[in-house]
Amino acid sequence: MSQHGRLSTLQAAMVVARRDFLAILWSRSFIFFLLGPLFTLGIGMLAGGIGQSVQQSTSRPVLGIIMPAADADALVARAKALEGKLDGVVPELVVLKRLKPGETADPLAALQTSKTNVAAVLSGDLGKPLLTGSEGWINNWQGRVALLAGSAASADPDAYPAIALAPIKRTGVDQARSRLVTAQIGQTVLFMLMMILAGMVLSNLVEEKGNKIIEVLAAAIPMDAVFLGKLFAMLGVSFVGIAVWFGVGTPMWLATGNSLSNFTAPAVGWPMFLGFGIVYFAMGYLVLGSLFLTIGSMASTVREVQTLSMPVTMLQLINFFFANFAMAKPGTWLEMLAMAIPFSSPFTMLARAAQSPDLWPHALALLWQLMWVVLLVRGGALLFKRRVMMSGPNTGGAKKRWLFRRAAA
């Protein structure tokens, strides 16, 4: 406390933050607010699980065959004979090409140009088969193909042929494309969370302006503290909401057969990527929340809030699309510009974390975003102070004298 017994701005802000945080957290409306996305998430998970099950049943990975006609027919016949006895063990076969005597074919080219769901290609002959495909599939099918080729060559084989493996090496281009998908998913989740949770700031402020609570707070503590307190309270409530949604949604997502291994790991690794997601959400939320709080100070009804917040929402949507576009052009001036704009910087930097292992750009970006958070929060607090102190129909001397008497008391 200061010499006059008043709280400092930061102490007063923490008092307001604690008051708003507890008031919102224990309200019935917040419980319904949490349940809303959970219903949507549950339906989405259910639909995704059903769709994945249907896709797996209709798009089962198959083994392509490029062999001489006699060998290919013998393999297909033996696979059909064993399918009833070894259900799910024998891979589904598709003959891509029956080679004529002296004819050759490139299994890698056939694998890349095939329109069916071919995971690997078996070429050569029954005596020396060659299995070409991704490393996971050919390792999984190696023993099964040996059993199939040996039994196709002889009804009672003494030995099974050794399967030569030709794994497809993943190029840098393929890895970059896969990480691009991870970056895009991260950007989308970050944007959706920010837009869903930032709206709570507006409704809370309009309600308190309507019942004059904000004027009592303005008379007791600095308006900067009220602004900061409400902003940090909403950020804390947002983290509670995110924790609940992810705590409920993650087991549902895992129960449908999904896992992080289904996606290409970001360049910085999953733990660092998720940590950056939390930090960039906080930065983006503080910037967007300060704008929404400023808008809320200029509105007195919910209809005015909706009218005034629409341009900010559209602007943020444009920033998201811009960051999404710049993500596909790493190292260009477009990406640099998206990093510099405070409203698109969190999305751009999260995408960069998925595409590049360098950490020093994130340190610079966080300092840059923190500077803008301070500037926008400070500017929003000043405008917030002017608008709230002059709110209401009576902006004359009577109201000001009442405020001054409350402040003096």
Side-chain angles (χ1 to χ4, degrees):
M1 291 187 180
S2 63
Q3 295 179 353
H4 300 286
R6 292 178 61 88
L7 296 175
S8 66
T9 301
L10 184 58
Q11 290 174 326
M14 295 306 298
V15 172
V16 175
R18 183 169 61 250
R19 165 193 169 272
D20 284 13
F21 179 79
L22 294 177
I24 295 174
L25 197 63
W26 296 110
S27 63
R28 288 176 293 181
S29 60
F30 182 68
I31 297 176
F32 287 105
F33 176 80
L34 291 177
L35 292 178
L38 289 179
F39 286 125
T40 305
L41 183 64
I43 295 174
M45 292 296 178
L46 181 61
I50 295 175
Q52 185 179 11
S53 177
V54 173
Q55 185 178 9
Q56 288 177 351
S57 61
T58 58
S59 301
R60 179 185 174 187
V62 299
L63 176 62
I65 305 296
I66 300 179
M67 281 186 171
D71 292 346
D73 293 338
L75 277 174
V76 173
R78 192 57 181 164
K80 290 181 179 179
L82 293 176
E83 187 175 0
K85 301 177 181 179
L86 302 174
D87 187 21
V89 175
V90 179
E92 182 181 351
L93 304 184
V94 172
V95 179
L96 300 179
K97 191 171 185 179
R98 290 178 171 86
L99 300 179
K100 299 177 181 179
E103 185 181 7
T104 60
D106 185 6
L108 180 59
L111 181 64
Q112 293 175 344
T113 58
S114 177
K115 296 182 180 180
T116 57
N117 193 25
V118 177
V121 173
L122 183 64
S123 58
D125 53 43
L126 293 180
K128 294 182 179 180
L130 173 65
L131 194 58
T132 304
S134 61
E135 188 172 0
W137 282 111
I138 61 177
N139 289 334
N140 186 29
W141 282 346
Q142 183 178 11
R144 308 179 192 186
V145 170
L147 173 65
L148 188 61
S151 59
S154 174
D156 189 14
D158 295 331
Y160 295 96
I163 308 298
L165 302 181
I168 298 175
K169 294 183 179 180
R170 196 172 191 181
T171 64
V173 175
D174 296 333
Q175 189 178 41
R177 290 178 179 175
S178 300
R179 285 178 174 174
L180 194 66
V181 175
T182 303
Q184 189 174 21
I185 294 175
Q187 280 188 337
T188 304
V189 172
L190 183 63
F191 174 76
M192 295 300 296
L193 289 175
M194 285 176 57
M195 297 310 297
I196 290 174
L197 294 166
M200 291 191 302
V201 179
L202 294 173
S203 58
N204 177 261
L205 184 60
V206 171
E207 179 183 353
E208 291 195 350
K209 284 183 66 178
N211 55 26
K212 304 301 180 182
I213 293 178
I214 196 69
E215 295 181 357
V216 176
L217 290 174
I221 59 178
M223 284 303 301
D224 293 357
V226 177
F227 187 91
L228 288 175
K230 289 188 171 298
L231 194 57
F232 286 116
M234 293 300 106
L235 180 61
V237 170
S238 299
F239 278 126
V240 172
I242 292 174
V244 172
W245 294 335
F246 275 84
V248 176
T250 300
M252 297 171 59
W253 184 67
L254 295 175
T256 56
N258 297 297
S259 66
L260 288 179
S261 61
N262 296 342
F263 306 96
T264 301
V268 297
W270 283 115
M272 186 70 72
F273 184 75
L274 295 176
F276 278 137
I278 296 173
V279 174
Y280 286 129
F281 169 80
M283 291 295 179
Y285 187 88
L286 290 175
V287 170
L288 190 61
S290 63
L291 288 181
F292 278 168
L293 264 182
T294 307
I295 291 172
S297 67
M298 295 185 291
S300 56
T301 63
V302 177
R303 180 175 297 179
E304 290 182 6
V305 166
Q306 294 174 348
T307 303
L308 293 173
S309 63
M310 183 60 67
V312 178
T313 303
M314 292 297 102
L315 179 63
Q316 190 66 1
L317 187 61
I318 293 173
N319 285 310
F320 168 70
F321 287 144
F322 177 56
N324 198 270
F325 178 72
M327 171 187 63
K329 300 183 180 298
T332 62
W333 65 271
L334 280 174
E335 187 187 30
M336 300 300 175
L337 182 61
M339 292 178 185
I341 298 176
F343 301 102
S344 61
S345 182
F347 307 117
T348 308
M349 293 308 301
L350 186 62
R352 186 179 179 87
Q355 296 174 290
S356 173
D358 297 332
L359 297 179
W360 65 266
H362 297 281
L364 296 178
L366 288 174
L367 290 176
W368 175 255
Q369 292 173 23
L370 183 61
M371 183 193 72
W372 276 100
V373 166
V374 173
L375 291 176
L376 291 174
V377 167
R378 183 61 180 170
L382 292 175
L383 185 58
F384 179 83
K385 178 179 180 179
R386 293 180 181 178
R387 297 298 305 181
V388 171
M389 294 291 286
M390 298 177 62
S391 62
N394 181 16
T395 60
K399 184 172 183 179
K400 292 181 180 180
R401 287 194 299 270
W402 179 81
L403 291 174
F404 291 148
R405 284 199 302 268
R406 293 286 300 178

